Amino acid sequence: MNEADLPPPLYRQERLEVANGHLRLVVIAVLIVMLAGFALLGIQFRQLNARIDQLATKVNGIEATFGVKFDETSANLATTNTKLDALSGRFAAEFKSLGAEIKAMEAQMTTSTNAIAKSIAALRAGPLPAPTSLQPSPAPVQPSSTPTSKPASTPLQPPKTRP
């Protein structure tokens, strides 16, 4: 390349100064945007802090107004919780005892059922036994030392059996 083709050195220096000026403007614009963003964030944090303080004041006021009721309610809930725990323990014990009673009844029913089945099998295998009376037998009459008139006695009839 010839030196004639190159622009004069002064011309290059002017271009560098112009580029440097544009760069400064861009950097200043970026800095302004950053400062504005930080300022906006600061304002938002202050508003948020003020709102939190307002809510804390309201909560403290509510607690001061209803604090006693909250404490009473907490105590009632604790008492109720204790009672429910006691009841659950009682229910568990009661259900265990009921389970044992049911098992005992099942065993008794099994024994009774087996005895009935054996007696039915015995009845089917052999002749039927003579029917027995379900009425108690009359007590024997003891003679008394003084004579009394004897009422007319009616003979006892055997009870009727069902076919």
Side-chain angles (χ1 to χ4, degrees):
M1 261 198 174
N2 283 338
E3 279 193 30
D5 292 338
L6 291 174
L10 189 59
Y11 179 71
R12 280 190 274 171
Q13 186 177 3
E14 287 177 8
R15 286 184 71 193
L16 285 175
E17 288 176 4
V18 171
N20 193 13
H22 288 293
L23 185 61
R24 282 184 188 164
L25 289 176
V26 169
V27 169
I28 290 172
V30 169
L31 289 175
I32 290 173
V33 169
M34 286 176 53
L35 286 174
F38 283 126
L40 183 65
L41 284 176
I43 291 170
Q44 292 297 321
F45 281 127
R46 280 192 195 129
Q47 288 177 352
L48 182 64
N49 194 17
R51 182 68 180 147
I52 289 172
D53 288 342
Q54 286 177 353
L55 290 175
T57 304
K58 283 184 181 179
V59 168
N60 288 338
I62 290 172
E63 188 175 286
T65 305
F66 299 110
V68 175
K69 291 183 182 179
F70 290 151
D71 291 341
E72 289 176 7
T73 304
S74 295
N76 288 340
L77 287 175
T79 304
T80 304
N81 196 15
T82 305
K83 288 179 182 178
L84 288 175
D85 288 344
L87 283 176
S88 67
R90 282 193 213 166
F91 284 144
E94 189 67 27
F95 287 141
K96 276 186 180 179
S97 67
L98 283 175
E101 288 178 20
I102 289 172
K103 286 180 182 177
M105 288 173 67
E106 286 175 351
Q108 182 181 6
M109 288 175 65
T110 303
T111 305
S112 299
T113 305
N114 287 341
I116 291 171
K118 286 179 184 177
S119 66
I120 290 173
L123 286 175
R124 287 184 182 166
L128 294 176
T132 58
S133 171
L134 297 177
Q135 293 180 348
S137 61
V141 180
Q142 294 180 354
S144 64
S145 60
T146 59
T148 59
S149 66
K150 235 180 169 185
S153 67
T154 59
L156 289 175
Q157 296 178 359
K160 293 181 181 178
T161 60
R162 292 187 180 183

